[in-house]
Every structure is written in C-alpha cells, then in structure tokens.
Amino acid sequence: MARADQIPSDLTLEITENLSPDRFIEAVRAFFGYIKEISASVTQEDPDWIVRVKEGSQLIGVDPRANFPRPILHARARIGVNALVLGNLDDAQLTDSALKNLQKLSEISLKSKSAGLPIRLWVEKKPIEIKKEIATLIEKDWRIEYRDAGTLDGRLEAIQDKSGLSFSVRDPVFSQAIRCFFPEALLPKALTAFRKRVEVSGIIHYRKNGKPVRIDVADIELLPDDADLPSLADVRGILRQSA
C-alpha cells in the first residue's frame, strides 16, 4: 500500500497489482470516468484536467485546473464510494454512468490474482478500498426491477441503430439519460424530435428504488421548449388584460 506522502493528487487511483496492459487501461478509464461523472454533478462545464503519474509506481492522479470547486468534488467522490462500501446504494447518489465505472473497478479487483484488494481510491490523501462487494451490490440492485405503463419527458438525444433502434431522453428529475427503445414506425417522429423536448409513453422499467432505467416506447409527443413558454412578465400581462 502506498503512503500518503507518495500520492500525487487529491484524487488518485492506486493499483497495487501488476495488471495486463488491457486491464490497466480499463481501470484507468473507469477511474477517469467516475471522476468526470462526479464533476458533472458539481458543474455543467467540463473542466480541463491535469493528470499526475507517480514515477516508478502505479499511482495515477487527476486534478481539475483552477477555478473549480475542488472540496465539493472531493466530498462527492468520497461519499459515493463510502456509501457503496457500506452497502447503501441509494445514499451514494450516483448516476448510472458513475456506478458503472465503480462496478468496473470492483470487477477488476474481484478478478485479481492475489487475495488482497489491488485497487484503492485516494481522496485528499486518504485511501478507500474498491472492494469486490461493490460490483455485487450494483449488479444485484440492477437485476431487481418492475415495469409499468407511464410517460417520461426530457430532451431527445443520441439516436442509435445498434441492437435495436433507441434514443436517450435526459430526465430533469434524475439528471441522467434514460434509454428508450422504439419501433421502426416511430423513426420519423424520433428524427423530427431530435434535440427537442418530448414526452415518451410506453412500458417503463424501474429499479426497486423507483428510478426509471429504460422505456419501451409506444409513442413520442413533441413538447414546447422552455424558450417558447410565456415568461413571468408575459403571464402578468395576460392576467392584467383579463382582469
């Protein structure tokens, strides 16, 4: 295990076992992915990043450049992992993308050759072990779901034709993109609604905590953009005229 004085950054990944090049790159990508996802929850602007690598070690650190609220970033990175270590997935308050990256790090830990844990996340010079139980916790939670008819609204983006037609709707409540699978007959509507606010209806798949994870779309309806809605001043004017 590394010492605190060896850690190159307040956000550092420690890999304590020699991994194959492919798995090493996989671990580093998952680490960067987790940190970037956390930073997106702090501010909508993607900051420039400085990567710091400790010579002669397997310590990879990353720091946002100046004018970024680092204490909030560090706190959220720490709280997310600690909650999962304690088995509290809901308390982690992480997006699906952040969870997937931590799951990947945990799976690499699970498949290590040694009995010890090969991966640690250091936050402000303090280590948190990415335990194998994290992957099990996330996988178990994602397997449990229920389905119900309903609607979701958000901005339609990322139309794909891979393993079936799909697009994403960025839900403003859960602040994440929800995958939407739709039939060929709805393709013209989906293309017309690209990057616009929509309401999609169909069978919604939920996790046990009530978070929607995907929808089998039956219909797509365009909604007015926020810019097209009347402002507060407009509403006041309408009320005066009707008085």
Side-chain angles (χ1 to χ4, degrees), residues 149-163:
T151 61
L152 296 172
D153 66 83
R155 193 166 298 277
L156 191 151
E157 55 189 37
I159 299 174
Q160 299 180 15
D161 186 8
K162 184 178 180 180
S163 301

Side-chain angles (χ1 to χ4, degrees), residues 9-177:
S9 167
D10 282 332
L11 294 169
T12 295
L13 179 71
E14 178 189 9
I15 303 174
T16 62
E17 182 178 282
N18 289 324
L19 301 176
S20 68
D22 288 345
R23 292 190 73 74
F24 180 83
I25 292 171
E26 194 176 12
V28 173
R29 282 178 174 168
F31 166 61
F32 287 162
Y34 175 62
I35 298 305
K36 288 193 70 174
E37 194 68 19
I38 291 293
S39 73
S41 70
V42 177
T43 176
Q44 292 184 349
E45 295 182 5
D46 187 17
D48 293 328
W49 296 93
I50 303 172
V51 178
R52 308 183 191 278
V53 180
K54 181 73 173 180
E55 185 178 358
S57 73
Q58 297 192 79
L59 297 169
I60 302 96
V62 64
D63 280 318
R65 293 189 185 271
N67 301 323
F68 190 89
R70 296 188 183 195
I72 300 175
L73 175 65
H74 299 160
R76 293 195 178 181
R78 181 190 303 111
I79 290 169
V81 179
N82 278 334
L84 295 180
V85 169
L86 295 173
N88 300 324
L89 191 142
D90 290 341
D91 291 346
Q93 297 183 1
L94 297 173
T95 64
D96 283 359
S97 180
L99 288 172
K100 286 177 183 177
N101 284 306
L102 288 179
Q103 183 184 25
K104 179 58 65 179
L105 288 173
S106 177
E107 287 171 347
I108 293 172
S109 172
L110 180 63
K111 295 175 182 177
S112 67
K113 296 178 181 178
S114 65
L117 291 165
I119 293 177
R120 297 184 183 93
L121 174 67
W122 288 75
V123 181
E124 295 179 330
K125 312 293 183 178
K126 296 179 181 178
I128 309 171
E129 293 181 338
I130 308 295
K131 296 184 177 181
K132 61 185 180 181
E133 288 80 9
I134 288 178
T136 304
L137 173 69
I138 295 172
E139 182 181 358
K140 182 180 178 182
D141 182 81
W142 285 0
R143 282 203 310 261
I144 300 174
E145 64 173 32
Y146 63 94
R147 303 168 181 82
D148 197 5
T151 61
L152 296 172
D153 66 83
R155 193 166 298 277
L156 191 151
E157 55 189 37
I159 299 174
Q160 299 180 15
D161 186 8
K162 184 178 180 180
S163 301
L165 286 168
S166 69
F167 56 78
S168 296
V169 166
R170 189 158 296 278
D171 184 275
V173 176
F174 294 97
S175 299
Q176 68 179 47

Side-chain angles (χ1 to χ4, degrees), residues 147-150 201-205 214-218:
R147 303 168 181 82
D148 197 5
S201 57
I203 301 299
I204 305 175
H205 299 241
R214 61 170 282 184
I215 178 169
D216 299 324
V217 180

